[in-house]
Structures are given as structure tokens and as C-alpha cells.
Amino acid sequence: MPTSLLTPGKLLVLPSGATSHGWHSIEAFIRCPKEHQLASVRGIEPLSLEMRMPFAVGILLHAARAQWLNDGGKGDLWKKAIIEAEKREKRFPVNARDVAELTFAEYVRHWSVRPRFQVLAVEYELKPRGLAKNAPEWAQRGARLDSIERDPQTGEIWAGEAKSTQQGPTKVHDNYLLHGQVLLQMALWGEEETKLFGPLAGLLLDVIKKHPEPKCYDRIKLRTADATHALEWFKRDMKGWLLQSQMVDWSSKPERRPQCVRQYGACDFRDLCLGGKKHANQYVMRDGRRLTDWKPTAEEPTPPWE
């Protein structure tokens, strides 16, 4: 039998933010190299008092789901997990917790009366490793799996990936069928995980439609065997993306890709790319400095809005 890493009844303290070597650390570069430079190299952030509601609710739902699955689908410690997750984050909208609690209550209602897979681990970390043998440290990637589960009928091992959304399962399937996050998780499953749990059959997309009309659906199976061709070019191209991203410094001029409207709204830097210095008062540096207070230095010779 595969190993179980659960600790039922223990309040989980989950890592905050995205995995440092995960998909989100390279996603912006692939989407728009200029976005990568502005966010990761120059450390620019919008001058905003609140996190976007979809992101905030998503963080809280992940915490609730991990706790409930860890507890064997029993009890309501997940409510405390939401409260604790809210305390660890900044700039949450005032009603994010209420939305998360109402939404996850539907998740509990839905799955409490339906067959579920056997949960073996939650928030399992795939430690940074190369996608090819002898990969240098800069080319290593990692990931965090929302859950690892066993199908009791077939014995197959699946990685559960929670997707909180306002969309239905068909749209979620289309969005993630060939998505970098999914491919990276498949590519990183290695000998250590196979020894602990078994070979990975694929990913389960656990779709949670959010309040005001929360709803859950049958989980969507994305099989690793169906992605064999995609994984070959993904591993090859990932090395190129990472190498190119290493070449972006403060004063380099990476290309802009004007595809600025995203699933949850516009790119954070759309106004800066549109108006440059004229819109600099809408942004700050990661250390709290306003962009309008920028002065050239040896490390920062180029205006941050250029």
C-alpha cells in the first residue's frame, strides 16, 4: 500500500505564496518577458490596498480543502484553517473569508455524500529538481501538489489540483488540458514519489465554483499517458525559457507581448506600459518606495517605467 502522510486533527500551517521554483516563477516570462522584468527583476507592484478577490478566495479555499482532506473529510477544523490563512496574508478584501466559508461549505456538503478517493497527502512538495539529468541549479524546478490520492477501485495514484473559479468544468478542462502548471507537475513526479506512492496516473482537477452560486463537479482526469508528446517538448523548451529569463536584468529591454487582458482582469502593468512615467504614481517598489521617488543608481540606471 502507498504511504500516507496525513496528520488528522492537526491544524495545518501551509506555506504562503507561490512555490519559489514553481510554474508561477517562470509563467510571467513565457507570457510576456517585460512583465517578468517589471515584477521579478525590478520588483514593481501596483499601489493597491487590496488583493484581487479571486486570488484571496482561492488562497482561503486551498487552506480549507487541505485541512478537510487531511482530517479524512470530517469535522470543521477547516473553518479555523481559513481564519489562520487569512491572518498570514496581506491586503485581503474584507469579505473574502465570508465568501470562502460559504463556498467551501458547499464543497463539504457535496463530497460528504459521494464516493471519494483515498487521500494520501496534502500540500505535498516536489522539491526543486532538473527536468533533465545533470541540470544546473538555475534550471531546476519544483511544485506543490494540493493532494495525492489513490483510486480505491483501480489502485491508480493521482495528484489533486483544486481550481476555484466562476467557470464550469468544460472551460476549466480547456484551460488546463495543455497548461504549464499541469505539465510541470507531471514532469516533476520522480523516483522518490513513485517509491512513496506509486507511479502517477495523472492530475485530477477539482473544480469549485465560487459563491454566490457555489457548486462542485465530478473531478476532471488529465492522464500523464495522454501527455507524453507534450511532456517531451515542454521539458526541452523549459530549459530555454529559464536560460532566457536569466539574461533579463534591470536595464535590458525584453520584448512586450501586448496580450494584456487575462482571466481575472488586466495585467498589473498595463497602465505602466500604456503611459510610462505618466502612470508611475500608480506603482511602488517591493521595498515600499514609490516609483515617482526613483533616482538613478549604479544598480538601477534605467527609469523603472521604461
Side-chain angles (χ1 to χ4, degrees), residues 47-175:
L47 179 61
S48 173
L49 298 178
E50 287 189 348
M51 181 186 296
R52 291 180 182 177
M53 179 65 85
F55 296 152
V57 173
I59 289 170
L60 299 180
L61 288 175
H62 268 80
R65 180 183 181 275
Q67 187 67 55
W68 193 70
L69 294 183
N70 177 72
D71 294 339
K74 300 176 182 178
D76 59 1
L77 193 55
W78 61 267
K79 294 179 180 179
K80 188 171 183 180
I82 285 179
I83 294 172
E84 293 302 313
E86 183 183 38
K87 291 178 181 178
R88 292 192 297 270
E89 296 290 341
K90 300 178 181 178
R91 301 181 295 134
F92 261 45
V94 293
N95 59 337
R97 189 206 301 180
D98 292 339
V99 173
E101 288 182 348
L102 287 168
T103 301
F104 198 74
E106 172 59 21
Y107 185 91
V108 170
R109 187 204 67 76
H110 180 90
W111 287 111
S112 291
V113 296
R114 287 171 171 81
R116 302 194 304 272
F117 284 7
Q118 177 192 7
V119 179
L120 303 174
V122 294
E123 296 296 320
Y124 180 87
E125 182 183 6
L126 296 167
K127 295 183 175 63
R129 62 197 67 175
L131 299 183
K133 290 184 178 180
N134 303 317
E137 185 175 351
W138 58 263
Q140 295 181 1
R141 294 291 93 185
R144 191 182 305 130
L145 303 179
D146 293 344
S147 58
I148 299 175
E149 307 179 34
R150 175 182 174 273
D151 184 337
Q153 294 185 342
T154 66
E156 292 177 321
I157 301 299
W158 295 83
E161 179 68 20
K163 294 301 177 189
S164 57
T165 176
Q166 292 291 358
Q167 301 172 334
T170 300
K171 187 67 174 178
V172 172
H173 173 270
D174 291 345
N175 287 342

Side-chain angles (χ1 to χ4, degrees), residues 41 71 252 295:
V41 179
D71 294 339
S252 59
K295 302 294 182 184

Side-chain angles (χ1 to χ4, degrees), residues 8 17 49 66 68 80 87 95 100 115 158 164 170-171 186 190 194 210 218 238-240 250 254 256 279 285 303:
L49 298 178
W68 193 70
K80 188 171 183 180
K87 291 178 181 178
N95 59 337
W158 295 83
S164 57
T170 300
K171 187 67 174 178
M186 290 179 175
T194 300
K210 289 178 282 197
D218 290 341
M238 175 64 79
K239 183 177 180 180
W250 180 280
R256 285 178 167 89
H279 293 308
M285 307 298 290

